[in-house]
Amino acid sequence: MSHTSFQNIRGKFQIPTKRRKIPFVKGYANGTDVEVGMRLDKKSGRLEVFSTKDSQKSEFERLRRLDALFIRKNVYVFPMDVRPPQKEMSRFLAKMALEAIFARFDLVSGTESALEMISTDHYDNIRKWARYGNNFDDWPYHYRAYFPEDTLMEHPETGKWVQFGFGYDLLLTDHPETFFIFSYHGHEFAINLGGPSIKGYEKWLAENNYVSALVEKKGSYVHSLVEKGAKKHFLVPILKMPIGFGNL
């Protein structure tokens, strides 16, 4: 979660950590290897850029002086694309997938039965991959940016429009194979619990017109509109049109 792919989304939308800290956005000074961070200064209310490495602070200050003297124009680059390290992301998904399948077994059959089922050799491969990552050369996962990062959804308890953060579910295909689907601000990932292959999920997508198991298959869709010159996106029920959204 500390990788640029995720931290920068958290920083962009000011999403606090468990310790209630707001992550800064990671980047670098263009044309150099100087790593920088950007955050909102609580006192001034302005964005500030700073060096994230002690070993690079002197070089960072040198670049700032050159900029102040109009010798160099500093350009800071903050990548917002989601490209996490493949193996680390795969193992992260595998860990979440095991937790999700255990939670489902626990809900249906109780904790004791869930422990027995999750301990069977059927889950040995993905368990070893999540813990050690050394039983296969690779365990592929499927990724796509499915809807805009700033999409809003109706809070199930308050009814207020809030930003969609993350969601997950299990998908059982006709083959049968079980896939864990995880969505983070519209970035959707899928991993196979049974083995290192994603072909079954790709086939399911093709057979289902490439809809999302977490959106359309859950009875929702993303509705977009322009309000005061700005485009907004809302996750809404297929059979329910929110007030003020106009006609389809």
Side-chain angles (χ1 to χ4, degrees), residues 9 12-13 15 144-156 160-167 183-188 212 214-216 220-225 230-237 242 245:
I9 291 179
K12 175 183 177 181
F13 295 113
I15 303 169
R144 60 178 175 168
Y146 194 68
F147 56 80
E149 293 176 351
D150 56 355
T151 297
L152 302 176
M153 62 173 285
E154 191 173 5
H155 194 285
K160 295 181 179 180
W161 289 102
V162 297
Q163 196 169 64
F164 181 97
F166 73 91
S183 180
Y184 185 77
H185 288 272
H187 297 275
E188 191 174 275
S212 171
L214 298 179
V215 182
E216 288 85 359
S220 300
Y221 75 106
V222 177
H223 179 76
S224 300
L225 58 82
K231 197 169 186 178
K232 295 185 177 181
H233 313 277
F234 301 86
L235 190 65
V236 297
F245 273 33

Side-chain angles (χ1 to χ4, degrees), residues 113-181:
S113 178
L115 286 170
E116 291 180 2
M117 296 177 75
I118 201 70
S119 299
T120 61
D121 56 7
H122 179 74
Y123 298 104
D124 279 352
N125 282 333
I126 194 168
R127 181 166 40 247
K128 290 178 181 178
W129 178 254
R131 295 185 66 187
Y132 310 112
N134 59 8
N135 52 330
F136 291 95
D137 292 333
D138 180 37
W139 194 302
Y141 58 84
H142 186 277
Y143 164 76
R144 60 178 175 168
Y146 194 68
F147 56 80
E149 293 176 351
D150 56 355
T151 297
L152 302 176
M153 62 173 285
E154 191 173 5
H155 194 285
E157 296 179 358
T158 66
K160 295 181 179 180
W161 289 102
V162 297
Q163 196 169 64
F164 181 97
F166 73 91
Y168 69 89
D169 203 355
L170 296 165
L171 171 68
L172 181 64
T173 65
D174 294 334
H175 293 294
E177 289 179 305
T178 303
F179 294 91
F180 172 72
I181 317 296

Side-chain angles (χ1 to χ4, degrees), residues 20-217:
R20 310 308 299 170
K21 292 184 178 181
I22 303 296
F24 60 83
V25 179
K26 291 181 178 181
Y28 59 92
N30 192 40
T32 77
D33 62 351
V34 176
E35 298 181 16
V36 300
M38 181 173 64
R39 63 189 168 201
L40 187 67
D41 185 270
K42 294 182 179 179
K43 294 182 179 180
S44 67
R46 297 179 178 178
L47 290 173
E48 62 170 351
V49 179
F50 56 94
S51 173
T52 59
K53 288 186 174 182
D54 290 338
S55 61
Q56 296 181 334
K57 283 186 177 180
S58 60
E59 178 62 14
F60 174 73
E61 291 302 327
R62 188 184 74 85
L63 293 175
R64 292 186 65 176
R65 288 194 298 270
L66 292 175
D67 185 78
L69 294 170
F70 300 100
I71 298 175
R72 167 193 164 89
K73 178 63 177 177
N74 283 335
V75 176
Y76 300 115
V77 180
F78 299 96
M80 297 306 299
D81 51 336
V82 175
R83 293 182 182 179
Q86 201 280 336
K87 185 173 183 179
E88 285 80 356
M89 187 64 198
S90 176
R91 293 180 62 198
F92 180 48
L93 290 169
K95 179 180 182 295
M96 290 193 292
L98 286 167
E99 292 174 346
I101 197 73
F102 173 80
R104 182 66 58 85
F105 289 153
D106 187 28
L107 180 65
V108 174
S109 306
T111 302
E112 185 176 345
S113 178
L115 286 170
E116 291 180 2
M117 296 177 75
I118 201 70
S119 299
T120 61
D121 56 7
H122 179 74
Y123 298 104
D124 279 352
N125 282 333
I126 194 168
R127 181 166 40 247
K128 290 178 181 178
W129 178 254
R131 295 185 66 187
Y132 310 112
N134 59 8
N135 52 330
F136 291 95
D137 292 333
D138 180 37
W139 194 302
Y141 58 84
H142 186 277
Y143 164 76
R144 60 178 175 168
Y146 194 68
F147 56 80
E149 293 176 351
D150 56 355
T151 297
L152 302 176
M153 62 173 285
E154 191 173 5
H155 194 285
E157 296 179 358
T158 66
K160 295 181 179 180
W161 289 102
V162 297
Q163 196 169 64
F164 181 97
F166 73 91
Y168 69 89
D169 203 355
L170 296 165
L171 171 68
L172 181 64
T173 65
D174 294 334
H175 293 294
E177 289 179 305
T178 303
F179 294 91
F180 172 72
I181 317 296
F182 172 66
S183 180
Y184 185 77
H185 288 272
H187 297 275
E188 191 174 275
F189 301 83
I191 192 169
N192 191 340
L193 277 87
S197 174
I198 209 67
K199 291 183 179 180
Y201 181 67
E202 293 173 340
K203 182 177 181 180
W204 181 88
L205 286 175
E207 293 173 347
N208 288 272
N209 201 29
Y210 296 93
V211 301
S212 171
L214 298 179
V215 182
E216 288 85 359
K217 287 297 182 179

